[in-house]
């Protein structure tokens, strides 16, 4: 059989080419990384294309425009938030102090902090993201409040301690990278202060 002639590459094709076809999830994963690095305003087709080593045309196989991608990214991120809420629910059967420690471990993962900070910045301009953040915050507060009640604190004390725990968590998210990481001892002492009768 005669060899097929090799088509010359056009100027458009001169960008780096990946060996396998990208799927929408590849683009969304790259978008998450940009979101973590520079926030939602850093999300540009040219930046994503360069990051993935493909032409801009590849983007349009999966998304109509950048607004469509942002909408799908929002769905992707909301699913992540919903998964965090579900993981929180798995802790509900633990004794009160262990429940609070489990929540602290869940939200103190460094990657989780980066994503949480990016999501909170995005929530300032996107109501649907704000809703998913509020749902997770509400879950953390309710579980913390219930745990404090089970530890014997009255309503006012339980409310104040659960609120402090929630706000401290948000503070850790926003201070991450600027003021240094909270150590395991920091978290242990902080939780001991809040749960001690």
């Amino acid at each position: 059989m005669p060899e097929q002639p090799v088509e010359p590459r056009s100027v458009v094709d001169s960008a780096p080419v990946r060996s396998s076809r990208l799927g929408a999830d590849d683009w969304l994963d790259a978008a998450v990384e940009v979101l973590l690095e520079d926030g939602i305003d850093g999300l540009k087709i040219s930046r994503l294309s360069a990051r993935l080593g493909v032409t801009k045309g590849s983007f349009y196989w999966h998304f109509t425009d950048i607004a469509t991608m942002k909408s799908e990214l929002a769905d992707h991120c909301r699913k992540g938030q919903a998964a965090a809420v579900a993981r929180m629910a798995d802790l509900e059967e633990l004794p009160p102090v262990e429940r609070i420690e489990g929540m602290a471990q869940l939200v103190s993962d460094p990657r989780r902090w980066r994503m949480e900070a990016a999501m909170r910045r995005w929530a300032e301009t996107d109501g649907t993201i704000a809703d998913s953040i509020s749902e997770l915050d509400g879950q953390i507060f309710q579980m913390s409040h219930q745990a404090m009640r089970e530890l014997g604190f009255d309503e006012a004390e339980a409310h104040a301690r659960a609120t402090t725990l929630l706000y401290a968590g948000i503070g850790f998210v926003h201070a991450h990278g600027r003021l240094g990481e909270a150590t395991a001892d920091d978290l242990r002492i902080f939780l001991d202060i809040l749960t001690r009768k």
Side-chain angles (χ1 to χ4, degrees):
M1 216 175 213
E3 281 188 30
Q4 295 292 323
V6 177
E7 296 279 334
R9 292 177 67 190
S10 70
V11 175
V12 173
D13 293 332
S14 62
V17 177
R18 293 175 59 100
S19 58
S20 61
R21 182 180 284 275
L22 292 174
D25 286 343
D26 296 307
W27 286 95
L28 289 172
D29 289 343
V32 166
E33 291 306 315
V34 171
L35 179 68
L36 293 176
E37 291 168 10
D38 294 318
I40 196 66
D41 292 335
L43 204 60
K44 309 282 184 221
I45 297 172
S46 57
R47 182 163 182 196
L48 292 167
S49 300
R51 183 179 206 100
L52 291 169
V54 296
T55 64
K56 288 184 188 180
S58 177
F59 173 89
Y60 294 104
W61 279 100
H62 306 288
F63 308 99
T64 307
D65 52 27
I66 196 70
T68 304
M69 175 188 237
K70 285 180 180 179
S71 176
E72 290 195 31
L73 179 61
D75 287 342
H76 182 72
C77 290
R78 280 192 298 272
K79 286 176 187 169
Q81 291 292 93
V85 168
R87 285 194 300 275
M88 290 281 184
D90 291 342
L91 302 172
E92 287 184 20
E93 302 305 315
L94 295 174
V97 173
E98 289 178 36
R99 193 178 322 147
I100 292 170
E101 288 171 349
M103 282 191 297
Q105 288 173 353
L106 184 64
V107 299
S108 66
D109 173 68
R111 175 150 173 98
R112 175 85 201 138
W113 278 2
R114 289 179 64 214
M115 180 56 102
E116 189 74 19
M119 293 280 290
R120 286 183 184 278
R121 287 191 304 272
W122 190 4
E124 293 170 10
T125 59
D126 186 312
T128 62
I129 297 296
D131 289 345
S132 68
I133 292 286
S134 293
E135 182 182 359
L136 183 58
D137 286 350
Q139 179 85 5
I140 291 168
F141 175 81
Q142 291 301 329
M143 287 183 67
S144 300
H145 181 263
Q146 181 61 37
M148 295 301 177
R149 291 293 289 171
E150 290 174 30
L151 288 170
F153 295 107
D154 66 25
E155 176 57 30
E157 282 272 335
H159 189 280
R161 288 167 189 262
T163 301
T164 300
L165 187 62
L166 175 62
Y167 288 167
I170 294 169
F172 280 137
V173 164
H174 286 290
H176 175 69
R178 292 192 301 272
L179 300 177
E181 304 256 348
T183 67
D185 281 342
D186 291 335
L187 291 173
R188 181 184 52 75
I189 292 167
F190 175 69
L191 294 177
D192 183 56
I193 290 168
L194 281 180
T195 57
R196 192 186 315 137
K197 194 88 164 95

